[in-house]
Coordinates of all heavy atoms in Angstrom, one line a residue:
M957 N -39.2 -29.1 5.9 CA -39.6 -29.2 7.3 C -38.9 -30.5 7.9 O -38.8 -31.5 7.3 CB -41.1 -29.4 7.4 CG -41.6 -29.2 8.8 SD -43.4 -29.2 8.9 CE -43.8 -30.9 8.6
S958 N -38.3 -30.3 9.1 CA -37.7 -31.4 9.8 C -38.7 -32.5 10.2 O -39.8 -32.1 10.6 CB -36.9 -30.9 11.0 OG -36.5 -32.0 11.8
N959 N -38.3 -33.7 10.1 CA -39.2 -34.8 10.6 C -38.8 -35.3 12.0 O -39.2 -36.4 12.4 CB -39.4 -35.9 9.6 CG -38.1 -36.6 9.3 OD1 -37.1 -36.2 9.9 ND2 -38.1 -37.6 8.5
C960 N -37.8 -34.6 12.7 CA -37.4 -35.0 14.0 C -38.4 -34.7 15.0 O -39.0 -33.6 15.0 CB -36.1 -34.4 14.3 SG -34.7 -35.1 13.6
N961 N -38.7 -35.6 15.9 CA -39.5 -35.3 17.1 C -38.9 -35.9 18.3 O -37.9 -36.6 18.3 CB -41.0 -35.7 16.9 CG -41.0 -37.2 16.6 OD1 -40.3 -38.0 17.2 ND2 -41.9 -37.6 15.8
V962 N -39.5 -35.7 19.5 CA -38.9 -36.2 20.7 C -38.8 -37.7 20.8 O -37.8 -38.2 21.2 CB -39.8 -35.7 21.9 CG1 -39.3 -36.3 23.2 CG2 -39.7 -34.2 22.1
S963 N -39.8 -38.4 20.3 CA -39.8 -39.8 20.3 C -38.6 -40.3 19.5 O -37.9 -41.3 19.9 CB -41.1 -40.4 19.6 OG -42.2 -39.9 20.3
E964 N -38.3 -39.7 18.3 CA -37.2 -40.2 17.6 C -35.9 -39.9 18.3 O -34.9 -40.7 18.3 CB -37.2 -39.4 16.2 CG -38.3 -40.0 15.3 CD -38.4 -39.1 14.1 OE1 -37.8 -38.1 14.0 OE2 -39.2 -39.5 13.2
K965 N -35.8 -38.7 19.0 CA -34.6 -38.4 19.7 C -34.3 -39.4 20.8 O -33.2 -39.8 21.2 CB -34.7 -37.0 20.4 CG -34.8 -35.9 19.4 CD -33.4 -35.5 18.9 CE -33.5 -34.2 18.0 NZ -32.3 -34.1 17.2
L966 N -35.4 -39.9 21.5 CA -35.3 -40.8 22.6 C -34.6 -42.1 22.1 O -34.0 -42.8 22.9 CB -36.6 -41.1 23.2 CG -37.3 -40.0 24.0 CD1 -38.7 -40.3 24.5 CD2 -36.4 -39.5 25.2
F967 N -34.7 -42.5 20.9 CA -34.1 -43.7 20.4 C -32.6 -43.6 20.3 O -31.9 -44.6 20.1 CB -34.7 -44.1 19.0 CG -36.0 -44.8 19.1 CD1 -37.1 -44.2 18.6 CD2 -36.1 -46.0 19.7 CE1 -38.4 -44.8 18.8 CE2 -37.3 -46.7 19.8 CZ -38.5 -46.0 19.3
T968 N -32.0 -42.4 20.4 CA -30.6 -42.2 20.4 C -29.9 -42.4 21.8 O -28.8 -42.2 21.9 CB -30.2 -40.8 19.8 OG1 -30.6 -39.8 20.8 CG2 -30.8 -40.5 18.5
I969 N -30.8 -42.7 22.7 CA -30.3 -42.8 24.1 C -30.0 -44.2 24.5 O -30.7 -45.1 24.0 CB -31.3 -42.2 25.1 CG1 -31.4 -40.7 24.9 CG2 -31.0 -42.6 26.5 CD1 -32.6 -40.1 25.6
R970 N -28.9 -44.5 25.2 CA -28.6 -45.8 25.7 C -28.8 -45.9 27.2 O -28.4 -45.0 27.9 CB -27.2 -46.2 25.3 CG -26.9 -46.3 23.8 CD -27.5 -47.5 23.2 NE -27.4 -47.5 21.8 CZ -28.3 -47.0 20.9 NH1 -29.4 -46.4 21.4 NH2 -28.1 -47.0 19.6
Y971 N -29.6 -46.9 27.6 CA -29.8 -47.0 29.0 C -29.0 -48.2 29.7 O -28.8 -49.2 29.0 CB -31.3 -47.4 29.3 CG -32.3 -46.3 28.9 CD1 -32.8 -46.2 27.6 CD2 -32.8 -45.4 29.9 CE1 -33.8 -45.3 27.3 CE2 -33.7 -44.5 29.6 CZ -34.2 -44.4 28.3 OH -35.2 -43.5 27.9
K972 N -28.6 -48.0 30.9 CA -28.2 -49.1 31.7 C -29.0 -49.0 33.0 O -28.7 -48.1 33.8 CB -26.7 -49.0 32.0 CG -26.2 -50.3 32.7 CD -24.7 -50.3 32.9 CE -24.3 -51.5 33.7 NZ -23.0 -51.4 34.3
C973 N -29.9 -49.9 33.2 CA -30.8 -49.8 34.3 C -30.3 -50.4 35.6 O -29.8 -51.5 35.6 CB -32.2 -50.5 33.9 SG -33.0 -49.6 32.6
D974 N -30.5 -49.7 36.7 CA -30.3 -50.2 38.0 C -31.6 -51.0 38.4 O -32.6 -50.9 37.8 CB -30.1 -49.1 39.0 CG -29.5 -49.5 40.3 OD1 -29.3 -50.7 40.5 OD2 -29.1 -48.6 41.0
T975 N -31.5 -51.9 39.4 CA -32.7 -52.6 39.9 C -33.4 -51.8 40.9 O -34.5 -52.1 41.3 CB -32.3 -53.9 40.5 OG1 -31.3 -53.7 41.5 CG2 -31.8 -54.9 39.4
E976 N -32.7 -50.7 41.4 CA -33.3 -49.9 42.5 C -33.7 -48.5 41.9 O -32.8 -47.9 41.2 CB -32.3 -49.7 43.6 CG -32.8 -49.3 44.9 CD -31.7 -49.2 45.9 OE1 -30.9 -50.2 46.0 OE2 -31.6 -48.2 46.6
S977 N -34.9 -48.0 42.2 CA -35.3 -46.8 41.6 C -34.5 -45.6 42.2 O -34.3 -45.5 43.4 CB -36.8 -46.6 41.8 OG -37.2 -45.3 41.3
H978 N -34.1 -44.6 41.4 CA -33.5 -43.4 41.9 C -34.6 -42.3 42.0 O -34.3 -41.2 42.4 CB -32.4 -42.9 40.9 CG -32.9 -42.6 39.5 ND1 -33.4 -43.5 38.6 CD2 -33.1 -41.4 38.9 CE1 -33.7 -42.9 37.5 NE2 -33.6 -41.7 37.6
L979 N -35.9 -42.7 41.8 CA -37.0 -41.7 41.9 C -38.0 -42.3 42.9 O -38.4 -43.4 42.7 CB -37.7 -41.5 40.5 CG -36.8 -41.1 39.4 CD1 -37.5 -41.4 38.0 CD2 -36.4 -39.7 39.5
V980 N -38.3 -41.6 43.9 CA -39.2 -42.1 44.9 C -40.3 -41.2 45.2 O -40.1 -40.0 45.4 CB -38.4 -42.4 46.2 CG1 -39.3 -42.9 47.3 CG2 -37.3 -43.4 46.0
I981 N -41.5 -41.7 45.2 CA -42.7 -40.9 45.7 C -42.6 -40.9 47.2 O -42.6 -41.9 47.9 CB -44.0 -41.6 45.3 CG1 -44.1 -41.7 43.7 CG2 -45.2 -40.8 45.8 CD1 -44.3 -40.4 43.0
K982 N -42.5 -39.7 47.8 CA -42.3 -39.6 49.2 C -43.5 -40.1 50.0 O -43.4 -40.9 51.0 CB -42.0 -38.1 49.6 CG -40.7 -37.6 49.0 CD -40.6 -36.1 49.4 CE -39.4 -35.4 48.7 NZ -39.4 -34.0 48.9
E983 N -44.7 -39.6 49.7 CA -45.9 -39.9 50.4 C -47.0 -40.3 49.5 O -47.5 -39.5 48.7 CB -46.4 -38.7 51.3 CG -45.4 -38.3 52.3 CD -45.4 -39.2 53.5 OE1 -46.3 -40.0 53.7 OE2 -44.4 -39.0 54.3
T984 N -47.5 -41.6 49.5 CA -48.5 -42.0 48.6 C -49.8 -41.3 48.9 O -50.6 -41.0 48.0 CB -48.7 -43.5 48.7 OG1 -48.9 -43.9 50.1 CG2 -47.6 -44.3 48.1
E985 N -50.1 -40.9 50.2 CA -51.3 -40.2 50.5 C -51.4 -38.8 49.8 O -52.4 -38.4 49.5 CB -51.3 -40.0 52.1 CG -51.5 -41.2 52.9 CD -52.8 -41.9 52.6 OE1 -53.8 -41.1 52.6 OE2 -52.9 -43.1 52.5
T986 N -50.2 -38.2 49.6 CA -50.2 -36.9 49.0 C -50.7 -37.0 47.5 O -51.4 -36.2 47.0 CB -48.8 -36.3 49.0 OG1 -48.4 -36.3 50.4 CG2 -48.7 -34.9 48.4
C987 N -50.3 -38.1 46.9 CA -50.7 -38.3 45.5 C -52.2 -38.6 45.5 O -52.9 -38.1 44.5 CB -50.0 -39.5 44.9 SG -48.2 -39.3 44.7
L988 N -52.7 -39.2 46.5 CA -54.2 -39.5 46.5 C -55.0 -38.3 46.5 O -56.0 -38.2 45.8 CB -54.4 -40.3 47.8 CG -55.7 -41.1 47.9 CD1 -55.9 -42.1 46.8 CD2 -55.8 -41.9 49.2
S989 N -54.5 -37.2 47.2 CA -55.3 -36.0 47.3 C -54.9 -35.0 46.2 O -55.4 -33.9 46.1 CB -55.1 -35.4 48.7 OG -53.8 -35.2 49.0
C990 N -53.9 -35.3 45.4 CA -53.4 -34.4 44.3 C -54.4 -34.4 43.2 O -54.8 -35.4 42.6 CB -52.1 -34.9 43.8 SG -51.4 -34.0 42.4
K991 N -54.9 -33.2 43.0 CA -56.0 -33.0 42.0 C -55.5 -33.0 40.6 O -56.2 -33.5 39.6 CB -56.8 -31.7 42.2 CG -57.4 -31.6 43.6 CD -58.9 -32.0 43.5 CE -59.6 -31.8 44.8 NZ -59.5 -32.8 45.7
T992 N -54.3 -32.5 40.4 CA -53.9 -32.2 39.0 C -53.0 -33.3 38.4 O -52.9 -33.4 37.2 CB -53.1 -30.9 38.9 OG1 -52.1 -30.9 40.0 CG2 -54.1 -29.7 39.1
K993 N -52.4 -34.1 39.2 CA -51.5 -35.2 38.8 C -50.5 -34.7 37.7 O -50.3 -35.3 36.7 CB -52.3 -36.4 38.2 CG -53.4 -36.9 39.1 CD -52.9 -37.8 40.2 CE -54.0 -38.5 41.0 NZ -54.7 -37.7 42.0
D994 N -49.9 -33.6 38.0 CA -49.0 -33.0 37.1 C -47.9 -33.9 36.5 O -47.5 -33.8 35.4 CB -48.3 -31.8 37.7 CG -49.2 -30.7 38.3 OD1 -50.3 -31.1 38.8 OD2 -48.9 -29.5 38.1
C995 N -47.4 -34.8 37.4 CA -46.3 -35.7 37.0 C -46.7 -36.5 35.8 O -45.8 -37.0 35.0 CB -45.8 -36.5 38.1 SG -47.1 -37.6 38.8
N996 N -48.0 -36.8 35.6 CA -48.4 -37.6 34.4 C -48.3 -36.8 33.1 O -48.4 -37.4 32.1 CB -49.9 -38.0 34.6 CG -50.1 -39.0 35.7 OD1 -50.9 -39.9 35.5 ND2 -49.5 -38.9 36.8
Y997 N -48.0 -35.5 33.2 CA -47.9 -34.7 32.0 C -46.6 -34.1 31.8 O -46.2 -33.9 30.6 CB -49.0 -33.6 32.1 CG -50.4 -34.1 32.3 CD1 -51.0 -34.1 33.6 CD2 -51.1 -34.8 31.3 CE1 -52.2 -34.7 33.8 CE2 -52.3 -35.4 31.5 CZ -52.9 -35.3 32.8 OH -54.1 -35.9 33.0
F998 N -45.8 -33.7 32.8 CA -44.6 -33.0 32.6 C -43.4 -33.8 32.3 O -42.4 -33.3 31.7 CB -44.3 -32.0 33.8 CG -44.0 -32.6 35.1 CD1 -43.0 -33.6 35.3 CD2 -44.8 -32.3 36.2 CE1 -42.8 -34.1 36.6 CE2 -44.6 -32.8 37.5 CZ -43.6 -33.8 37.6
C999 N -43.5 -35.1 32.6 CA -42.3 -36.0 32.3 C -42.2 -36.3 30.8 O -43.2 -36.9 30.3 CB -42.4 -37.3 33.1 SG -41.1 -38.4 32.7
P1000 N -41.2 -36.0 30.1 CA -41.1 -36.3 28.7 C -41.0 -37.8 28.4 O -41.2 -38.2 27.2 CB -39.8 -35.6 28.3 CG -39.0 -35.4 29.5 CD -40.0 -35.3 30.6
S1001 N -40.7 -38.6 29.4 CA -40.5 -40.0 29.2 C -41.7 -40.9 29.8 O -41.6 -42.1 29.8 CB -39.2 -40.5 29.8 OG -38.1 -40.0 29.1
D1002 N -42.7 -40.2 30.2 CA -43.9 -40.9 30.7 C -43.5 -41.8 31.9 O -44.0 -43.0 31.9 CB -44.7 -41.7 29.6 CG -45.3 -40.8 28.6 OD1 -45.6 -39.6 28.9 OD2 -45.4 -41.2 27.4
V1003 N -42.7 -41.4 32.7 CA -42.3 -42.2 33.9 C -43.4 -42.4 34.9 O -43.6 -43.5 35.4 CB -41.0 -41.6 34.5 CG1 -40.7 -42.3 35.9 CG2 -39.8 -41.8 33.6
Y1004 N -44.2 -41.3 35.1 CA -45.2 -41.4 36.1 C -46.6 -41.6 35.6 O -46.9 -41.0 34.5 CB -45.2 -40.0 36.9 CG -43.9 -39.7 37.5 CD1 -43.0 -38.9 36.9 CD2 -43.5 -40.3 38.7 CE1 -41.8 -38.6 37.5 CE2 -42.3 -40.1 39.3 CZ -41.4 -39.2 38.7 OH -40.2 -39.0 39.2
E1005 N -47.3 -42.5 36.2 CA -48.7 -42.7 35.8 C -49.6 -43.0 37.0 O -49.3 -43.8 37.9 CB -48.7 -44.0 34.8 CG -50.1 -44.1 34.2 CD -50.1 -45.2 33.1 OE1 -49.0 -45.6 32.7 OE2 -51.2 -45.6 32.8
W1006 N -50.7 -42.3 37.0 CA -51.7 -42.5 38.1 C -52.5 -43.8 37.8 O -53.1 -43.9 36.8 CB -52.6 -41.3 38.3 CG -53.7 -41.5 39.3 CD1 -55.0 -41.6 39.1 CD2 -53.5 -41.6 40.7 NE1 -55.7 -41.8 40.3 CE2 -54.7 -41.8 41.3 CE3 -52.3 -41.6 41.6 CZ2 -54.9 -42.0 42.7 CZ3 -52.5 -41.8 42.9 CH2 -53.8 -42.0 43.5
E1007 N -52.4 -44.8 38.7 CA -53.2 -46.0 38.5 C -54.5 -45.9 39.3 O -54.5 -46.0 40.6 CB -52.4 -47.2 39.1 CG -51.2 -47.5 38.2 CD -51.5 -48.2 36.9 OE1 -52.7 -48.7 36.8 OE2 -50.7 -48.3 36.0
K1008 N -55.6 -45.7 38.6 CA -56.8 -45.4 39.3 C -57.3 -46.5 40.2 O -57.7 -46.3 41.3 CB -57.9 -45.2 38.2 CG -57.9 -43.8 37.7 CD -59.1 -43.6 36.7 CE -59.0 -42.3 36.0 NZ -59.9 -42.2 34.8
K1009 N -57.1 -47.8 39.7 CA -57.6 -48.9 40.5 C -56.7 -49.1 41.8 O -57.2 -49.3 42.9 CB -57.5 -50.2 39.7 CG -58.6 -50.3 38.7 CD -58.6 -51.6 38.0 CE -59.7 -51.7 37.0 NZ -59.6 -52.8 36.1
L1010 N -55.4 -48.9 41.7 CA -54.5 -49.1 42.8 C -54.4 -47.9 43.7 O -54.0 -47.9 44.8 CB -53.1 -49.5 42.3 CG -53.1 -50.8 41.5 CD1 -51.6 -51.0 41.0 CD2 -53.4 -52.0 42.4
K1011 N -54.8 -46.7 43.1 CA -54.7 -45.4 43.8 C -53.3 -45.1 44.2 O -53.0 -44.7 45.3 CB -55.7 -45.4 45.0 CG -57.1 -45.5 44.6 CD -58.0 -45.2 45.8 CE -59.5 -45.4 45.5 NZ -60.0 -44.8 44.3
I1012 N -52.4 -45.4 43.3 CA -51.0 -45.0 43.5 C -50.4 -44.4 42.2 O -50.9 -44.6 41.1 CB -50.1 -46.2 43.9 CG1 -50.2 -47.3 42.8 CG2 -50.5 -46.7 45.3 CD1 -49.1 -48.3 43.0
T1013 N -49.3 -43.6 42.3 CA -48.6 -43.2 41.2 C -47.5 -44.2 40.9 O -46.6 -44.4 41.8 CB -48.0 -41.8 41.4 OG1 -49.0 -40.9 41.7 CG2 -47.2 -41.3 40.2
T1014 N -47.5 -44.8 39.8 CA -46.4 -45.8 39.5 C -45.2 -45.0 38.9 O -45.4 -44.0 38.2 CB -46.9 -46.9 38.5 OG1 -47.4 -46.2 37.3 CG2 -47.9 -47.7 39.1
V1015 N -44.0 -45.6 39.0 CA -42.8 -44.9 38.6 C -42.0 -45.9 37.7 O -41.4 -46.8 38.2 CB -42.0 -44.5 39.8 CG1 -40.7 -43.7 39.4 CG2 -42.8 -43.6 40.8
A1016 N -42.0 -45.6 36.4 CA -41.2 -46.4 35.5 C -39.8 -45.8 35.4 O -39.4 -45.3 34.4 CB -41.9 -46.5 34.1
F1017 N -39.1 -45.9 36.5 CA -37.8 -45.2 36.6 C -36.8 -45.6 35.5 O -35.9 -44.9 35.1 CB -37.2 -45.4 38.0 CG -36.7 -46.8 38.2 CD1 -35.3 -47.2 38.0 CD2 -37.5 -47.8 38.7 CE1 -34.9 -48.4 38.2 CE2 -37.0 -49.1 38.9 CZ -35.7 -49.4 38.6
E1018 N -37.0 -46.8 34.9 CA -36.1 -47.3 33.9 C -36.1 -46.4 32.6 O -35.1 -46.3 31.9 CB -36.5 -48.7 33.4 CG -36.6 -49.7 34.5 CD -38.0 -49.8 35.1 OE1 -38.7 -48.9 35.0 OE2 -38.3 -50.8 35.8
N1019 N -37.2 -45.6 32.5 CA -37.3 -44.8 31.3 C -36.8 -43.4 31.5 O -36.8 -42.5 30.6 CB -38.8 -44.7 30.8 CG -39.3 -46.0 30.4 OD1 -38.6 -46.9 30.0 ND2 -40.6 -46.2 30.5
C1020 N -36.4 -43.0 32.7 CA -36.0 -41.7 33.0 C -34.8 -41.2 32.2 O -33.8 -41.9 32.1 CB -35.6 -41.6 34.5 SG -35.0 -40.0 35.0
I1021 N -34.9 -40.0 31.6 CA -33.8 -39.5 30.8 C -33.0 -38.4 31.6 O -32.2 -37.6 31.1 CB -34.2 -38.9 29.5 CG1 -35.3 -37.8 29.6 CG2 -34.7 -40.1 28.6 CD1 -35.6 -37.1 28.3
E1022 N -33.3 -38.3 32.9 CA -32.5 -37.5 33.9 C -32.6 -36.0 33.5 O -31.6 -35.3 33.6 CB -31.1 -37.9 34.0 CG -31.0 -39.3 34.5 CD -29.6 -40.0 34.3 OE1 -28.6 -39.2 34.3 OE2 -29.5 -41.2 34.1
C1023 N -33.8 -35.6 33.1 CA -33.9 -34.1 32.7 C -34.1 -33.3 33.9 O -33.9 -32.1 33.9 CB -35.1 -33.9 31.8 SG -36.7 -34.1 32.6
G1024 N -34.5 -33.8 35.1 CA -34.6 -33.1 36.3 C -35.9 -32.4 36.6 O -36.0 -31.7 37.6
T1025 N -36.8 -32.4 35.6 CA -38.1 -31.7 35.8 C -38.8 -32.1 37.0 O -39.3 -31.2 37.7 CB -39.0 -31.9 34.5 OG1 -38.2 -31.6 33.3 CG2 -40.2 -31.1 34.6
C1026 N -38.9 -33.3 37.3 CA -39.7 -33.8 38.5 C -39.1 -33.3 39.8 O -39.8 -33.3 40.8 CB -40.0 -35.3 38.4 SG -38.5 -36.3 38.4
R1027 N -37.9 -32.9 39.8 CA -37.2 -32.4 41.0 C -37.9 -31.1 41.4 O -37.9 -30.8 42.6 CB -35.8 -32.1 40.6 CG -34.9 -31.8 41.7 CD -33.5 -31.6 41.1 NE -32.5 -31.9 42.1 CZ -31.2 -32.1 41.9 NH1 -30.8 -32.1 40.7 NH2 -30.4 -32.3 42.9
I1028 N -38.5 -30.4 40.5 CA -39.1 -29.1 40.9 C -40.5 -29.0 40.5 O -41.2 -28.0 40.9 CB -38.3 -27.9 40.2 CG1 -38.2 -28.1 38.7 CG2 -36.9 -27.8 40.8 CD1 -37.7 -26.9 37.9
A1029 N -41.1 -29.8 39.7 CA -42.4 -29.6 39.1 C -43.6 -30.2 39.8 O -44.7 -29.8 39.6 CB -42.4 -30.1 37.6
C1030 N -43.3 -31.1 40.7 CA -44.5 -31.6 41.5 C -44.9 -30.5 42.5 O -44.1 -30.0 43.2 CB -44.0 -32.9 42.3 SG -45.3 -33.3 43.6
P1031 N -46.2 -30.1 42.4 CA -46.7 -29.0 43.2 C -46.6 -29.3 44.7 O -46.6 -28.3 45.5 CB -48.1 -28.9 42.7 CG -48.5 -30.1 42.1 CD -47.3 -30.7 41.5
S1032 N -46.5 -30.5 45.1 CA -46.4 -30.8 46.5 C -45.0 -31.3 46.9 O -44.8 -31.8 48.0 CB -47.4 -32.0 46.9 OG -48.7 -31.6 46.6
D1033 N -44.0 -31.1 46.0 CA -42.6 -31.5 46.3 C -42.6 -32.9 46.8 O -42.0 -33.2 47.8 CB -42.0 -30.5 47.3 CG -40.5 -30.8 47.4 OD1 -39.9 -31.4 46.5 OD2 -39.9 -30.5 48.5
N1034 N -43.3 -33.8 46.1 CA -43.5 -35.2 46.6 C -42.7 -36.2 45.9 O -42.9 -37.4 46.1 CB -45.0 -35.6 46.5 CG -45.4 -36.7 47.4 OD1 -44.8 -36.9 48.4 ND2 -46.3 -37.5 46.9
I1035 N -41.7 -35.8 45.2 CA -40.8 -36.7 44.5 C -39.4 -36.5 44.9 O -38.9 -35.4 44.8 CB -40.9 -36.5 42.9 CG1 -42.3 -36.8 42.4 CG2 -39.9 -37.5 42.2 CD1 -42.6 -36.4 41.0
A1036 N -38.8 -37.6 45.5 CA -37.4 -37.5 45.9 C -36.6 -37.9 44.6 O -36.7 -39.0 44.1 CB -37.1 -38.5 47.0
W1037 N -35.7 -37.0 44.2 CA -35.0 -37.2 42.9 C -33.5 -37.1 43.2 O -33.0 -36.2 43.8 CB -35.4 -36.0 42.0 CG -34.9 -36.1 40.6 CD1 -35.7 -36.5 39.5 CD2 -33.6 -35.8 40.1 NE1 -34.9 -36.4 38.4 CE2 -33.6 -36.0 38.7 CE3 -32.4 -35.3 40.6 CZ2 -32.6 -35.8 37.8 CZ3 -31.3 -35.1 39.8 CH2 -31.4 -35.3 38.4
V1038 N -32.8 -38.2 42.7 CA -31.3 -38.2 42.7 C -30.9 -38.7 41.4 O -31.7 -39.4 40.7 CB -30.7 -39.0 43.9 CG1 -31.0 -38.4 45.2 CG2 -31.2 -40.5 43.8
Y1039 N -29.6 -38.5 41.1 CA -29.1 -39.2 39.9 C -29.0 -40.7 40.1 O -28.8 -41.1 41.3 CB -27.7 -38.6 39.5 CG -27.8 -37.3 38.8 CD1 -27.4 -36.1 39.4 CD2 -28.2 -37.2 37.5 CE1 -27.4 -34.9 38.7 CE2 -28.3 -36.0 36.8 CZ -27.9 -34.9 37.4 OH -27.9 -33.7 36.8
P1040 N -29.1 -41.5 39.1 CA -28.8 -42.9 39.3 C -27.4 -43.1 39.8 O -26.5 -42.3 39.6 CB -28.9 -43.5 37.9 CG -29.8 -42.5 37.1 CD -29.4 -41.2 37.7
K1041 N -27.2 -44.3 40.4 CA -25.9 -44.6 41.0 C -24.8 -44.6 39.8 O -25.2 -44.9 38.7 CB -25.9 -46.0 41.7 CG -26.6 -45.9 43.0 CD -26.4 -47.2 43.8 CE -27.0 -48.4 43.1 NZ -27.7 -49.3 43.8
G1042 N -23.6 -44.4 40.2 CA -22.5 -44.4 39.2 C -22.6 -45.7 38.3 O -22.7 -46.8 38.7
G1043 N -22.5 -45.4 37.0 CA -22.4 -46.5 36.0 C -23.8 -46.9 35.5 O -24.0 -47.6 34.5
Y1044 N -24.9 -46.4 36.2 CA -26.2 -46.6 35.7 C -26.8 -45.3 35.1 O -26.3 -44.3 35.2 CB -27.1 -47.1 36.8 CG -26.7 -48.5 37.3 CD1 -26.0 -48.6 38.5 CD2 -27.1 -49.6 36.6 CE1 -25.7 -49.8 39.0 CE2 -26.7 -50.9 37.1 CZ -26.0 -51.0 38.3 OH -25.7 -52.2 38.7
G1045 N -28.0 -45.5 34.4 CA -28.7 -44.4 33.9 C -28.5 -44.3 32.4 O -28.3 -45.3 31.7
I1046 N -28.5 -43.1 31.8 CA -28.5 -43.0 30.4 C -27.1 -42.5 29.9 O -26.4 -41.8 30.5 CB -29.6 -42.0 29.9 CG1 -29.4 -40.7 30.5 CG2 -30.9 -42.6 30.2 CD1 -30.2 -39.6 29.8
T1047 N -26.9 -42.8 28.6 CA -25.8 -42.2 27.9 C -26.4 -41.6 26.6 O -27.1 -42.2 25.9 CB -24.8 -43.3 27.5 OG1 -24.4 -44.0 28.6 CG2 -23.6 -42.7 26.8
Y1048 N -26.0 -40.3 26.4 CA -26.5 -39.6 25.2 C -25.5 -39.9 24.0 O -24.3 -39.8 24.2 CB -26.7 -38.1 25.4 CG -27.8 -37.8 26.3 CD1 -27.6 -37.6 27.7 CD2 -29.1 -37.7 25.8 CE1 -28.7 -37.3 28.5 CE2 -30.2 -37.4 26.6 CZ -30.0 -37.2 28.0 OH -31.1 -36.9 28.8
K1049 N -26.1 -40.2 22.9 CA -25.3 -40.4 21.7 C -25.7 -39.3 20.7 O -26.8 -39.1 20.4 CB -25.6 -41.8 21.1 CG -24.7 -42.3 20.1 CD -25.1 -43.7 19.6 CE -26.2 -43.6 18.6 NZ -26.6 -44.9 18.0
Y1050 N -24.7 -38.6 20.2 CA -25.0 -37.5 19.3 C -24.7 -37.9 17.9 O -23.9 -38.8 17.6 CB -24.1 -36.3 19.7 CG -24.4 -35.8 21.0 CD1 -23.6 -36.1 22.1 CD2 -25.6 -35.0 21.3 CE1 -23.9 -35.6 23.4 CE2 -25.9 -34.5 22.5 CZ -25.1 -34.9 23.6 OH -25.4 -34.4 24.8
G1051 N -25.5 -37.3 17.0 CA -25.2 -37.6 15.5 C -26.2 -38.6 15.0 O -27.0 -39.2 15.7
Ligands
LIG2385 S1 -47.8 -34.3 40.9 FE1 -46.8 -34.9 42.8 S2 -48.4 -35.2 44.4 FE2 -49.4 -35.1 42.3 S3 -49.6 -37.3 41.7 FE3 -47.6 -36.6 40.9 S4 -46.1 -37.0 42.4 FE4 -48.1 -37.2 43.4
LIG2386 S1 -36.0 -36.6 35.6 FE1 -37.2 -36.0 33.8 S2 -37.4 -37.9 32.6 FE2 -36.7 -38.5 34.7 S3 -38.6 -38.9 35.7 FE3 -38.1 -36.8 36.2 S4 -39.3 -35.6 34.6 FE4 -39.2 -37.8 33.9

């Protein structure tokens, strides 16, 4: 049986982080009324987290692996998604 899992695969990725997020929550009010908080579950890198005390969705954009899921998976289409600027983002290393 293989002992590979997603967490181990993530260690093969190299990041170069921008200081500006390439992922933006369009309307914070929309997150407030969102019952399911899907983004807290569908992102493989745990980028999105609902902060109960602050009542906002935080975005740890530095961890994004650019899979594109949040571009289509927010039920309210409340995430503006673009690729990081040239030279930033991730590099996949194989092997
Ligand atoms: S799923 Fe969309 S609307 Fe709901 S909390 Fe996440 S970003 Fe906000
Ligand atoms: S593109 Fe993928 S990894 Fe990046 S924030 Fe969206 S769901 Fe998470």
Side-chain angles (χ1 to χ4, degrees):
M957 191 172 74
S958 168
N959 63 357
C960 280
N961 60 36
V962 172
S963 301
E964 288 170 353
K965 294 278 186 198
L966 290 175
F967 280 112
T968 66
I969 291 170
R970 295 289 173 267
Y971 292 89
K972 185 179 179 198
C973 295
D974 198 350
T975 51
E976 197 177 316
S977 178
H978 63 290
L979 307 162
V980 177
I981 300 290
K982 295 178 190 170
E983 299 284 345
T984 53
E985 291 295 316
T986 304
C987 294
L988 197 57
S989 58
C990 176
K991 298 264 188 278
T992 50
K993 307 283 189 284
D994 302 40
C995 59
N996 288 222
Y997 306 103
F998 61 60
C999 174
S1001 293
D1002 294 331
V1003 167
Y1004 301 98
E1005 189 173 345
W1006 176 248
E1007 291 286 347
K1008 280 186 187 162
K1009 284 185 183 166
L1010 300 173
K1011 298 192 184 311
I1012 57 167
T1013 300
T1014 57
V1015 183
F1017 71 93
E1018 305 90 341
N1019 296 337
C1020 174
I1021 59 169
E1022 299 166 31
C1023 74
T1025 304
C1026 57
R1027 188 176 206 165
I1028 56 169
C1030 168
S1032 301
D1033 189 23
N1034 197 31
I1035 300 170
W1037 190 100
V1038 293
Y1039 280 110
K1041 285 188 300 221
Y1044 292 102
I1046 58 165
T1047 307
Y1048 288 98
K1049 192 178 83 178
Y1050 298 99

